[in-house]
Every structure is written in structure tokens, then in C-alpha cells.
Amino acid sequence: MRTMELRPKDWFPDKYVNQFKGWEDFSNFEVELEVKRYNITIHQLLTHTSGLPFAMRVDKKDLIRQKLFYKPGTQFGYTLGHRVAGWLLRDYWMQQPEGRRLGITNCQDTFKFLVFDPLGLSKETRFSHTLQHAFGFEGSAGDASIMSTGEDMMKLAVVALRKGQLPTGKVMISEVNWNKWAVPNLLPGGKMSKDLVSWEGSSASWSNWNVGGMKESIMQQSGDYGWNYFGATYNKSQEIGWCGFFSSCLRVSYLSGLAFVMMQRDVADLKKSKPYVIENFESIASFLRCPGASTCVRPGYPTVFCDVKGKKATLSTSCQQNATRGKGFSHPDFTVDEKKRACYVPACSPPAPSTWWGGGSSASSSDRRRRWFR
């Protein structure tokens, strides 16, 4: 989305991948049970409607030889579309004056230029070599093996809550484009993913990571969802977000004016954290909402206050703003002080950045905290 915002003439949803320099041979794909061959668009990559497989260690040459699992633009199936988009971004920006000046050579450089630096993320957010054995190839995966922290993910959540705007007021994505690209369900016919996906049949293969229901169990979310360029969209586009491969989640509720980030490493989600977040999001929002906060706050005014024994007060440094879920004797729990802790009041449109970050073990050793922030 960032590149479509910056270079709309070069990057737009209906553009075919094979129209990019160096990608001319990424075309003319065979499709299961079809005679006709097809090309793939940027829109189809971003919405997982391209028909590409969902696999791990693959590169561009491998993908060119793949047969699509369905006609592009007709079904939904979690694919390597975002990985290809990451490689496209890398190759595109390498050729631009900015890329040559910054010495962009891989996805890490590209994402740092487009997203990490503008968001003010720490060095902890990066493509990690730890998982290169699984996702590797092509310099970096483009869609996976990114390590991050709760604080950094919170910054992304704030921008999503503010519909493309940083807390400083700087616009990364215009609100018009955000509402067009990141809020509505962009799947074919506006249908939900469950109505467009066939996890078995011709898609049941090792190359598509879908033998014995493997793909479905890994990527299964809680509740029905659509899809757009930011991620999944829920509850008639009142919420957006996603829970990824390791079950870390980012969820934004425009209705509640709140964003939630959960960091963990649990591919199988043994703790059932994903459904817990979805089922209890409103109760989380209710707990964090200031007492008597039945209305919204006008843009430009504070949205975070202090709940002092059930009464809303001005936020101060003495007001508890974080709690810790510890691990063992060296990292004990630091529980919430019910008598004096931070709370929020939902902001009127456009939403101001009130977010809650919570998590168990995360992708970084520094992520053993729970916080709520303005």
C-alpha cells in the first residue's frame, strides 16, 4: 500500500506482475483443470486470490514452474502472494533513485525504507536469519521470518487505527486510500473467505502445504473473515487485522477505537489465544475504557486518562500503564492495580491512537510485557 501511495502510476491493483521489469517471465500460468493460461495481478497477490501455492522454501524460478490451484481472481486460499509482492517491491525500489542512493539490495532494505523507518521501529524489527532454513531464498522471504517486538507492532497498530496516519500527523497512506484498500472486504463478489476456498481437492498437495488439513489448521482464524490489502476484515469491516503463522495477532476495532497486539510463538496455538482474543475483545475494551466513558473524545484531545478508584482523572506518571506476565522467579508477574491504572475514552472519527499490547513469549527476548499506550 505504501508504494501504491508513493508511486500510483507504477503500482496499482490491476497491474500484471509480468509488466514489471525483470518479471516478464512470471506469466502464462497453467491452472488446475483448465486449458487456458493466466497472468496474475497485484490485487490478486495481495488478496490471496492468485492461485499460487502456500509453501515454504521456494524462489521465483520454482514459482514460475508451478501450476495454479484455481483461476486467478475466483477463489481464496492463503498463498505465497505476499512473498512475491515483497520480491517485486525489492526489485522495483532497487531500480529507483532512492533505492540506488540507499543501496537497497534485499527485502530488509526495502521494508526498512518503506515501513520500518517511517514508523520509527527499533532494530529489533527485521528479517531474521534464524528462520532462513524455512523461509529463505531470494535474499529474504518477503512475507515471513520477520522478527519484531510488541512496542514496534503497537506502532503499526496505531497507524492502522488512525487509518494511515502517524501520531505526529504525518500521512503514510491517505485516509481515502486506506478506506479503499485496508478496510473493506476485497474478495471476489464481497464474499467471505469460507465461501471461496476449497482447502482440499486439487489443492491437497505437499507443494500447497495442505495434506491432511495442514494448511487449514495453521492458517485458520477465529470467525468469518474477508480480505484486503492490510489483512483480514471482520464484522462488516468494523475490524481489521490478522493472526500469523506463529499465532501473534494484531486486531484493530474502529467501533471501539482500540487496537490489540498479542505476541507469541505458538504455531499450533495450543493456548487457544487466537479465539480468546476474538471472543473477548469487547470485554478487553470494556475493561480498559474509563468509567463513565459513554461518549467519544474530539480529535486532537487526550484519549488516555487515569482510572483512580472508579473515577476518571488526568494521566500522570504515577498512574500504572503496564503490567507484566513473567516467566519464573527472575521475571515475576506484575499485576494490574485496580485502584489506579490507565484507561481510555474512544476517539471520535478519525480515531486517536489508544492501543493495548499484550502477550506471552514473543519473537524477541524483550517482549515479556503487557502495556496499553496512547
Side-chain angles (χ1 to χ4, degrees):
M1 290 192 297
R2 177 74 169 146
T3 299
M4 288 196 294
E5 179 82 18
L6 295 173
R7 299 290 172 85
K9 292 184 178 180
D10 293 341
W11 276 77
F12 48 90
D14 293 334
K15 185 170 182 175
Y16 286 104
V17 174
N18 62 306
Q19 291 179 301
F20 285 91
K21 183 179 179 180
W23 287 79
E24 292 82 2
D25 56 350
F26 201 83
S27 62
N28 205 29
F29 283 93
E30 290 185 78
V31 179
E32 291 281 356
L33 306 178
E34 293 249 0
V35 175
K36 186 177 178 180
R37 291 173 177 253
Y38 295 89
N39 293 329
I40 296 171
T41 67
I42 295 297
H43 170 85
Q44 290 159 359
L45 290 179
L46 296 179
T47 56
H48 294 301
T49 57
S50 66
L52 288 169
F54 172 62
M56 301 293 272
R57 288 183 66 94
V58 295
D59 60 17
K60 180 182 172 184
K61 292 181 180 178
D62 289 332
L63 284 173
I64 290 173
R65 295 191 294 265
Q66 292 288 333
K67 181 180 291 188
L68 303 183
F69 290 100
Y70 51 79
K71 177 183 174 182
T74 62
Q75 296 187 52
F76 171 89
Y78 206 81
T79 72
L80 288 179
H82 289 186
R83 188 169 306 184
V84 174
W87 294 339
L88 277 171
L89 288 168
R90 174 203 61 198
D91 292 354
Y92 173 81
W93 284 108
M94 282 174 60
Q95 301 165 19
Q96 303 306 305
E98 299 93 331
R100 291 194 293 270
R101 185 179 70 250
L102 294 171
I104 290 177
T105 61
N106 53 39
C107 290
Q108 166 68 27
D109 299 335
T110 308
F111 280 53
K112 187 175 186 296
F113 162 63
L114 288 173
V115 182
F116 300 167
D117 285 352
L119 284 178
L121 306 188
S122 71
K123 293 181 180 179
E124 293 292 322
T125 297
R126 66 193 188 282
F127 284 87
S128 171
H129 296 299
T130 305
L131 298 172
Q132 193 169 11
H133 66 283
F135 298 110
F137 297 169
E138 294 290 333
S140 18
D143 69 329
S145 73
I146 298 179
M147 308 286 278
S148 190
T149 69
E151 289 90 340
D152 282 352
M153 289 297 292
M154 176 273 296
K155 293 176 182 178
L156 174 61
V158 167
V159 171
L161 189 61
R162 295 174 64 95
K163 294 189 173 182
Q165 186 182 90
L166 291 165
T168 60
K170 181 180 179 181
V171 175
M172 287 190 69
I173 310 291
S174 70
E175 188 170 354
V176 170
N177 283 335
W178 189 273
N179 286 332
K180 182 169 58 177
W181 297 335
V183 176
N185 177 17
L186 299 179
L187 291 181
K191 294 181 179 179
M192 305 303 282
S193 59
K194 66 174 184 176
D195 301 317
L196 294 168
V197 66
S198 176
W199 295 105
E200 302 301 332
S202 61
S203 297
S205 69
W206 285 110
S207 63
N208 198 29
W209 257 55
N210 197 40
V211 174
M214 184 190 306
K215 178 177 176 180
E216 181 178 18
S217 63
I218 290 175
M219 303 317 303
Q220 183 63 46
Q221 304 295 296
S222 294
D224 297 334
Y225 62 95
W227 200 268
N228 54 45
Y229 302 161
F230 182 81
T233 177
Y234 314 83
N235 300 334
K236 298 180 179 179
S237 296
Q238 295 181 106
E239 297 179 11
I240 61 173
W242 185 242
C243 291
F245 188 82
F246 288 106
S247 300
S248 289
C249 299
L250 185 154
R251 188 92 167 194
V252 172
S253 171
Y254 294 118
L255 188 63
S256 297
L258 189 73
F260 183 97
V261 171
M262 176 177 69
M263 304 292 285
Q264 62 176 351
R265 268 188 171 182
D266 184 0
V267 174
D269 194 25
L270 297 175
K271 297 184 292 293
K272 304 300 179 186
S273 301
K274 291 192 286 188
Y276 182 88
V277 170
I278 308 311
E279 294 166 7
N280 294 277
F281 193 93
E282 284 306 313
S283 64
I284 293 171
S286 178
F287 172 77
L288 293 172
R289 199 168 290 127
C290 293
S294 58
T295 58
C296 62
V297 175
R298 288 182 295 171
Y301 286 82
T303 60
V304 181
F305 301 89
C306 190
D307 181 348
V308 182
K309 296 181 179 180
K311 294 184 179 180
K312 187 180 73 173
T314 301
L315 184 69
S316 65
T317 55
S318 64
C319 187
Q320 185 190 12
Q321 297 183 56
N322 67 78
T324 302
R325 181 61 177 172
K327 284 189 172 183
F329 293 107
S330 60
H331 297 90
D333 287 350
F334 179 45
T335 57
V336 176
D337 183 355
E338 297 285 353
K339 296 181 180 180
K340 193 174 185 180
R341 49 93 178 175
C343 63
Y344 88 106
V345 178
C348 304
S349 182
S354 300
T355 68
W356 165 264
W357 176 81
S361 58
S362 70
S364 169
S365 60
S366 63
D367 290 336
R368 298 191 181 98
R369 297 183 291 273
R370 289 181 182 269
R371 291 188 178 179
W372 57 94
F373 295 86
R374 179 175 186 271

